[in-house]
Amino acid sequence: MYETFNLFAAIALAIFIEAMPFLVIGALFSSFIEVFVSTQRLLGMVPKNIAGGLALGIGSGFVLPTCECGVVPIVRRLMSKGVPPYIAIAYMLAAPIVNPVVLASTYIAFRGSFSMVFARIGLAVIVAAIVALISRQMASVVKPLKVRSDKHDCDNPNHTHIHQHEHSHDHTHNHTHEPLGKKIVSTFRHAAVEFMDMGKYLILGALIAAAFKTFLPENAMAYFSGNLALSIAGMMLLAILLSICSEADAFVVASFVGFPVAAQLAFIGIGPMVDLKLIGMYGITFKRLMVVSLLVVPFIIIYLASLLIGSLDLLSF
């Protein structure tokens, strides 16, 4: 029993140590963007045509990266500033995946597999584009903003908190006119908060992944991993429950070596778009029909795409 626990602890610690640097980099990167990049610059780039709008929304995830832990409040602020909802929604779904930190972590976690990186990008682009186009058919997608004034943001129009879920903090202060020194301090402060928020989910994910590998009977794991359709559905549900940050999820799912690669792809595809913390934030931000679209459409597309990829064995490496 002692040896079993040591194995469990070693696996969990290895997953955490391998993923933690990307969590730190991601928190710093998104905080730098929050503090130093002006929303008005992005508004000036909004194109008139739909294709250009989708390209801007999805492509902005690469140059304005953010984790799914903080993307919903950012997107709401963008829409309140005049960004068309379909562009903001495309950004919201793509940004946690199509950004340099996440792509680098995926590449390293899957032992230099470009096919896994491009497959992940492909899923993100397809889902983001389809859900964004669906949102264009709706008269309204966002609930009216409810501003709650408390001791932290009394009468401050530039600081809005959404108090529904521990991850739904909107850290969108107006830093435009702050001196450089204060901006740097704000960047590290934002990064610390984001790292603490995201870190506990990484720890939980590492513990559960280690528990699966250590304590689950081999015959149960073999039955689960040997069925492609079941393994994809199971890994997607696990991703939703674990709510691991996209900068670290690849390291967690890569530890499930007995599962089909397509199921691992489904895990890192659905997690940044639909998980427990996002479900709560979607519910308080968007109207019901939009929430249903954000939850159901990604799940269906990613499941079917992963099933097709797995059936054709397109991701063997």
Side-chain angles (χ1 to χ4, degrees), residues 8 12 14 44 78 80 83 189 220 245-246 289:
F8 164 78
L78 289 175
S80 72
V83 174
R189 183 181 295 119
C245 180
S246 59
L289 186 57

Side-chain angles (χ1 to χ4, degrees), residues 42 45 47 51-66 86-100 103 121 124-125 128-129:
L42 183 62
M45 298 169 57
L54 289 176
L56 174 65
I58 295 171
S60 293
F62 191 83
V63 294
L64 298 174
T66 185
Y86 82 97
I87 296 178
I89 288 171
Y91 171 76
M92 179 180 71
L93 294 175
I97 296 176
V98 187
N99 78 65
L103 298 183
I121 293 173
V125 170

Side-chain angles (χ1 to χ4, degrees), residues 90-149:
Y91 171 76
M92 179 180 71
L93 294 175
I97 296 176
V98 187
N99 78 65
V101 178
V102 172
L103 298 183
S105 69
T106 304
Y107 176 80
I108 294 173
F110 287 96
R111 305 181 304 279
S113 172
F114 280 109
S115 59
M116 181 61 86
V117 173
F118 288 124
R120 191 175 192 183
I121 293 173
L123 286 182
V125 170
I126 292 170
V127 173
I130 291 176
V131 176
L133 290 174
I134 291 174
S135 72
R136 292 193 76 253
Q137 309 307 312
M138 303 178 189
S140 177
V141 301
V142 185
K143 289 182 177 179
L145 182 63
K146 294 179 181 179
V147 178
R148 170 179 166 179
S149 296

Side-chain angles (χ1 to χ4, degrees), residues 11-289:
I11 293 173
L13 185 61
I15 294 172
F16 179 80
I17 290 175
E18 193 172 22
M20 184 179 63
F22 290 93
L23 210 58
V24 174
I25 294 171
L28 286 171
F29 205 170
S30 68
S31 298
F32 177 85
I33 296 298
E34 161 65 22
V35 173
F36 285 93
V37 177
S38 169
T39 304
Q40 298 303 321
R41 293 182 182 178
L42 183 62
L43 287 174
M45 298 169 57
V46 174
K48 303 292 184 181
N49 59 82
I50 297 174
L54 289 176
L56 174 65
I58 295 171
S60 293
F62 191 83
V63 294
L64 298 174
T66 185
C67 173
E68 71 273 11
C69 303
V71 72
V72 177
I74 291 173
V75 161
R76 177 148 198 167
R77 184 169 183 264
L78 289 175
M79 288 187 287
S80 72
K81 294 292 186 180
V83 174
Y86 82 97
I87 296 178
I89 288 171
Y91 171 76
M92 179 180 71
L93 294 175
I97 296 176
V98 187
N99 78 65
V101 178
V102 172
L103 298 183
S105 69
T106 304
Y107 176 80
I108 294 173
F110 287 96
R111 305 181 304 279
S113 172
F114 280 109
S115 59
M116 181 61 86
V117 173
F118 288 124
R120 191 175 192 183
I121 293 173
L123 286 182
V125 170
I126 292 170
V127 173
I130 291 176
V131 176
L133 290 174
I134 291 174
S135 72
R136 292 193 76 253
Q137 309 307 312
M138 303 178 189
S140 177
V141 301
V142 185
K143 289 182 177 179
L145 182 63
K146 294 179 181 179
V147 178
R148 170 179 166 179
S149 296
D150 57 24
K151 62 182 179 180
H152 297 296
D153 57 87
C154 298
D155 300 322
N156 184 352
N158 293 315
H159 188 190
T160 301
H161 284 283
I162 302 176
H163 296 270
Q164 180 69 26
H165 187 279
E166 63 177 327
H167 273 267
S168 59
H169 303 301
D170 184 351
H171 300 292
T172 51
H173 294 73
N174 185 353
H175 300 279
T176 305
H177 302 296
E178 290 181 352
L180 179 60
K182 192 171 182 180
K183 285 185 177 181
I184 293 174
V185 172
S186 296
T187 298
F188 282 103
R189 183 181 295 119
H190 280 293
V193 171
E194 286 204 22
F195 178 77
M196 294 301 295
D197 279 348
M198 297 183 293
K200 56 180 173 283
Y201 288 95
L202 172 58
I203 293 172
L204 176 62
L207 291 174
I208 292 178
F212 265 87
K213 298 189 70 174
T214 307
F215 301 113
L216 195 67
E218 290 186 10
N219 55 348
M221 182 70 82
Y223 172 77
F224 195 80
S225 60
N227 186 312
L228 180 62
L230 183 61
S231 65
I232 290 174
M235 292 303 278
M236 291 178 71
L237 290 175
L238 185 63
I240 292 171
L241 293 174
L242 291 183
S243 303
I244 306 170
C245 180
S246 59
E247 277 119 5
D249 59 0
F251 291 99
V252 173
V253 75
S255 69
F256 288 84
V257 292
F259 282 75
V261 179
Q264 295 176 320
L265 173 65
F267 183 100
I268 59 176
I270 194 66
M273 297 185 184
V274 181
D275 63 25
L276 290 182
K277 63 182 180 293
L278 284 172
I279 290 172
M281 286 189 281
Y282 288 162
I284 62 174
T285 303
F286 297 100
K287 293 188 175 180
R288 182 176 301 175
L289 186 57

